[in-house]
Amino acid sequence: MRSTLKVICPNEHLGFAPSKTASFAIGVDADPDIIAADSGSDDVGPGPLGSDTSTSPLAWQTHDLELMLLAARKKGVPMIIGSAGDTGTNSRVDLYVDVIRQLQKKHDLAPFKLGYFYSEVDKEWLREKIRSGDAVTGLDARPDLDEAELDATDRIVAMAGVHPYIKLLDMGAEVIIGGRSSDCALFAAPAIRAGYPEALAYYLGKVLECASFCAEPYGGKETVMGEISAQDVRVTAMNPDQRCTIASVAGHAMYERSNPYYEYVAGGCLDMNQCNYEQIAEKTTRITGPKFVPAEQIRVKLEGAGKIGERFVGLVGIRDPYTIANVDKVIQWARDQASERFGNQPYELHYNVYGRDGVMGALETERSVVPHELCVMVQGIAQTRELAEEVCMTGTRQMFYARLPDVKGTAGSVAFSLDEVMHASAAYRWTLNHTVAVDDPLQLFPCHTTMIGA
Amino acid sequence: MTPLSSLAKTIRSKNAGTDKITFDIIFTDRATYERVKTSGALTRETVAALYRIDGDRITDFVNFDPAFAIKFTILRERPSGSPGDGDIFGAQQYAPLLSIQIAEPA
């Protein structure tokens, strides 16, 4: 085993916004052994997974893949991408593989071996699990998966751990495009494979996965470098104006997770209770003391999304203080008109009242302020585009006709800046946030390799 | 009394997966962190009362010494991005924390 392994990461969510190239170039000059980034997030809502699309533009995805591929091939080091195309579905993996193929041609790169794996899960396999009594366990207070919820699901991905990445490196892959993965796994995999302690390897992944979010001052899309040894992890900001400090590195352990001490992956849990942080240079913090607790049974996390229906959006303004005070009655009037018209057909109407609690809904704590104007966003959802449009139009326009007993303005209860409703993306919801037991950690992640440019 | 917004460096909220929102309150120095931590103004109970949610919707409440941070996580009313969700990223749910009043140190 070499004394250290260096990994650089240029972007916390490849494609969502382009990486900054100057700090990446500094990182490449520091002779990394691995260039890696995660490209996924469930922050983007259930729509991309359900509809099998990316929320990131292809141009930005290509920009970063090109940046990383050229550097990795020039240096002769592996390039690793996880959770291709925001969701890590099979089509997104194929998309990234194709981008790599095009980039090889464009730059006439010497042939190399590309490894990739898929993450989509067959619904019928899960149905068998449910029927055989092998529970698909709900996370975050969700009930275990039942067949009704499975039927309401359009697409499911499983969250890979280190296993398919190690497998593909063993198969000689020089570039890896991964399906849906735990962010930290794609960084941990090459370190574990090289013989470094699992706990430090997972910590390396944990701290690198969000690139410069572990540095200060705040600034995303900048490259950071992590260096693992048998004793510690050292993380350094590559941007000349950023530093990795004890506060910024420890602070990042909290980011986007419910508990700063534990990180769960397929195969175990990274325990950061005993982490010790030490500033060893202006831009570098050293971490020791993480622990890895292997799981007794390998359970893989699943994400699933299901379509509710087509969707239209309407916008409504209100200025009359009496109408503002009675906005719930105005909304109820419009709901009643929709109910009268559409009866038992399935549809949904949703109202966000901006100026009152449009952002926070029931969590809003400020209930004493009386706004002088309101904007109401109306969403109408139904199986067909035609019905969704009519539902939304009813839910929006009928606010104009609301009958309030003491209203002075009898020519119209609300204001429209557009007398129309607008077609929006279809409505989806997260149907799965569950785990399933597997016998083999590679079971849900078929691995493939192909020569590019040969 | 001093508002939390004058004492903390960072007060933020963000999704933690599809079903939870996590809140981070981060201080620049240990003294301020300890002052807020021991003030009793920021606890599982006060946060539940502020947001008017049942205590069991707060899944985690952690005083995170290495980062001088107080962190808690709540279960969402509905998963992120469901129709009607006004904050898909959960990024604006921290606003009520800004004006929490912290007693002067004894």
Side-chain angles (χ1 to χ4, degrees):
Chain A
M1 187 170 86
R2 292 174 43 196
S3 62
T4 71
L5 182 88
K6 290 191 280 193
V7 184
I8 60 170
C9 174
N11 198 318
E12 66 276 7
H13 178 176
L14 184 148
F16 201 60
S19 297
K20 300 291 185 189
T21 55
S23 64
F24 181 70
I26 296 171
V28 173
D29 284 345
D31 289 328
D33 301 295
I34 306 281
I35 300 176
D38 185 71
S39 185
S41 176
D42 56 26
D43 262 356
V44 297
L49 176 60
S51 59
D52 203 9
T53 55
S54 292
T55 189
S56 301
L58 181 60
W60 296 354
Q61 295 171 331
T62 305
H63 171 274
D64 276 21
L65 291 172
E66 186 167 28
L67 190 69
M68 294 173 70
L69 181 67
L70 293 181
R73 298 321 304 146
K74 186 174 159 200
K75 290 281 179 185
V77 300
M79 160 178 168
I80 303 178
I81 304 294
S83 301
D86 305 317
T87 62
T89 60
N90 296 0
S91 80
R92 302 300 96 184
V93 172
D94 291 341
L95 174 75
Y96 274 22
V97 168
D98 191 54
V99 169
I100 296 290
R101 210 182 288 282
Q102 301 305 322
L103 289 171
Q104 185 276 334
K105 277 189 203 141
K106 177 180 169 185
H107 295 284
D108 196 23
L109 299 171
F112 55 86
K113 189 183 266 193
L114 177 115
Y116 58 99
F117 71 85
Y118 293 125
S119 290
E120 280 188 35
V121 178
D122 179 14
K123 279 167 67 171
E124 297 315 308
W125 180 75
L126 284 176
R127 197 182 304 280
E128 278 309 303
K129 285 270 181 190
I130 295 170
R131 288 185 180 172
S132 69
D134 188 357
V136 180
T137 311
L139 291 168
D140 303 330
R142 283 188 184 232
D144 292 352
L145 185 67
D146 60 23
E147 291 195 49
E149 198 68 347
L150 184 65
D151 289 335
T153 302
D154 286 292
R155 196 162 285 94
I156 304 164
V157 286
M159 192 80 84
V162 295
H163 317 90
Y165 290 98
I166 291 175
K167 166 88 171 171
L168 287 168
L169 288 168
D170 285 345
M171 290 164 79
E174 296 162 283
V175 174
I176 296 178
I177 301 296
R180 189 70 174 123
S181 312
S182 288
D183 297 7
C184 70
L186 58 131
F187 302 90
I192 289 171
R193 181 171 177 270
Y196 295 94
E198 275 186 318
L200 290 170
Y202 281 110
Y203 187 88
L204 174 76
K206 176 69 208 69
V207 73
L208 284 183
E209 49 105 349
C210 272
S212 48
F213 278 1
C214 70
E216 62 182 328
Y218 174 82
K221 310 297 172 187
E222 301 285 357
T223 295
V224 292
M225 183 172 72
E227 185 168 13
I228 185 171
S229 75
Q231 293 81 36
D232 62 13
V233 171
R234 297 167 188 229
V235 56
T236 307
M238 294 291 107
N239 179 306
D241 298 323
Q242 287 186 316
R243 299 174 303 137
C244 288
T245 64
I246 294 172
S248 71
V249 171
H252 176 256
M254 297 188 291
Y255 187 66
E256 290 184 321
R257 54 201 13 86
S258 28
N259 191 303
Y261 291 121
Y262 304 102
E263 174 82 3
Y264 293 90
V265 295
C269 172
L270 175 67
D271 177 344
M272 293 175 275
N273 272 289
Q274 303 300 320
C275 274
N276 186 55
Y277 305 85
E278 195 183 338
Q279 190 87 41
I280 56 165
E282 194 208 349
K283 297 165 74 69
T284 304
T285 286
R286 172 178 188 256
I287 304 94
T288 52
K291 293 186 170 44
F292 185 73
V293 185
E296 285 176 15
Q297 177 192 45
I298 296 188
R299 297 194 71 85
V300 179
K301 182 179 168 182
L302 304 172
E303 292 174 338
K307 185 174 176 179
I308 304 171
E310 296 296 317
R311 171 162 56 178
F312 277 75
V313 169
L315 290 174
V316 177
I318 307 178
R319 180 63 180 81
D320 181 331
Y322 174 74
T323 311
I324 287 172
N326 289 284
V327 63
D328 287 327
K329 288 181 188 150
V330 175
I331 291 170
Q332 192 55 52
W333 167 270
R335 283 189 184 281
D336 290 345
Q337 303 313 300
S339 163
E340 205 171 281
R341 170 132 183 85
F342 304 110
N344 292 327
Q345 293 184 76
Y347 71 89
E348 292 184 15
L349 269 171
H350 298 272
Y351 291 86
N352 285 71
V353 182
Y354 290 99
R356 186 185 68 179
D357 58 1
V359 173
M360 298 190 61
L363 289 179
E364 179 55 66
T365 58
E366 182 53 81
R367 296 286 175 185
S368 60
V369 170
V370 179
H372 80 280
E373 70 174 22
L374 290 176
C375 175
V376 182
M377 183 176 79
V378 186
Q379 299 183 59
I381 299 163
Q383 284 309 307
T384 65
R385 186 174 161 146
E386 292 69 28
L387 187 57
E389 182 168 17
E390 199 188 339
V391 165
C392 189
M393 186 57 100
T394 303
T396 304
R397 188 170 286 164
Q398 283 295 335
M399 291 178 73
F400 191 80
Y401 297 114
R403 297 175 188 177
L404 295 175
D406 296 322
V407 75
K408 304 286 183 195
T410 53
S413 295
V414 299
F416 294 123
S417 55
L418 300 165
D419 186 21
E420 63 178 324
V421 292
M422 293 156 281
H423 188 225
S425 60
Y428 286 83
R429 65 186 178 86
W430 290 112
T431 51
L432 266 83
N433 176 25
H434 289 74
T435 66
V436 66
V438 293
D439 302 323
D440 173 353
L442 285 169
Q443 185 176 349
L444 297 174
F445 309 105
C447 295
H448 308 274
T449 60
T450 180
M451 284 305 293
I452 303 287
Chain B
M1 302 288 261
T2 311
L4 189 62
S5 57
S6 302
L7 297 173
K9 172 178 72 170
T10 299
I11 302 177
R12 67 188 178 194
S13 62
K14 187 75 197 290
N15 287 347
T18 58
D19 297 341
K20 293 191 285 194
I21 298 174
T22 194
F23 297 75
D24 301 334
I25 302 107
I26 309 175
F27 303 91
T28 49
D29 60 278
R30 178 173 296 278
T32 313
Y33 165 64
E34 293 291 343
R35 173 184 163 189
V36 174
K37 195 169 97 173
T38 55
S39 71
L42 202 53
T43 65
R44 192 181 272 271
E45 292 71 27
T46 61
V47 164
L50 177 66
Y51 285 99
R52 292 173 307 164
I53 56 177
D54 289 340
D56 57 13
R57 267 182 68 188
I58 302 177
T59 62
D60 300 80
F61 196 103
V62 179
N63 294 317
F64 187 44
D65 294 350
F68 304 146
I70 298 170
K71 178 177 181 67
F72 64 91
T73 302
I74 68 172
L75 287 169
R76 279 174 163 273
E77 192 173 40
R78 61 188 125 195
S80 69
S82 299
D85 176 16
D87 192 359
I88 291 180
F89 289 75
Q92 282 289 301
Q93 304 302 308
Y94 63 88
L97 301 174
L98 297 167
S99 48
I100 289 179
Q101 296 296 316
I102 307 296
E104 299 307 318

